[in-house]
Amino acid sequence: MTVAQMQDLRAKMRDVGGSVRVAKNKLAKIALQGKPCESIADYLTGMTVISYSEDPVAAAKVVDAYAKTNDKLVILGGAMGDSALDPAGVKAVAQLPSREELIAQVVSCIGAPASNIAGAIGAPASNIASILSTIEEKAA
């Protein structure tokens, strides 16, 4: 990848709170020893770029989207906790909703019962008002 492409990838990853690093394979393998995701050391061959973020879905989304537009970026695998992921696993994670999307869904579920109750309480009054209005129109 060119320097401009790497800067573009880094900028996109920064936007979601992640980071991208070019890894020295030997040092990365040493750093992975004894860690829960040590099994991804097998993926560290050739020129390696490691991307990561607080939200594991965000990093997968950015890398998957970028790999679709740049054929020089090939997803070899990844890790989520102590599970090693193959390329299909990384793409599956990229399809999951991000942390922000999940929070929005939970908040909407919490707020929905309250709005339903308010609607149910207000409905009889509006129904009565509409009936009275219809009776008044017929009487006139």
Side-chain angles (χ1 to χ4, degrees):
M1 289 177 43
T2 66
V3 173
Q5 291 169 332
M6 277 300 293
Q7 288 176 337
D8 185 39
L9 177 60
R10 282 188 171 110
K12 289 179 181 185
M13 192 63 74
R14 249 190 324 268
D15 290 343
V16 298
S19 189
V20 175
R21 299 280 185 250
V22 176
K24 291 289 245 176
N25 294 332
K26 188 163 185 105
L27 293 175
K29 287 178 183 180
I30 292 169
L32 287 171
Q33 289 176 353
K35 303 290 189 292
C37 57
E38 183 177 4
S39 58
I40 67 165
D42 297 337
Y43 295 131
L44 302 176
T45 59
M47 296 192 60
T48 306
V49 173
I50 297 176
S51 63
Y52 54 92
S53 67
E54 275 293 314
D55 180 4
V57 175
K61 281 182 182 282
V62 170
V63 170
D64 185 49
Y66 199 80
K68 288 177 183 174
T69 62
N70 188 332
D71 60 345
K72 293 187 187 220
L73 179 64
V74 177
I75 299 172
L76 299 176
M80 186 175 230
D82 59 350
S83 301
L85 304 172
D86 61 354
V90 174
K91 290 177 191 236
V93 169
Q95 300 303 316
L96 295 172
S98 68
R99 182 182 299 173
E100 288 76 22
E101 292 167 338
L102 287 173
I103 290 170
Q105 289 174 359
V106 168
V107 168
S108 69
C109 288
I110 290 170
S115 65
N116 290 342
I117 290 172
I121 291 171
S126 67
N127 289 341
I128 291 171
S130 129
I131 291 169
L132 291 176
S133 147
T134 306
I135 291 172
E136 186 178 307
E137 288 174 4
K138 287 184 180 179

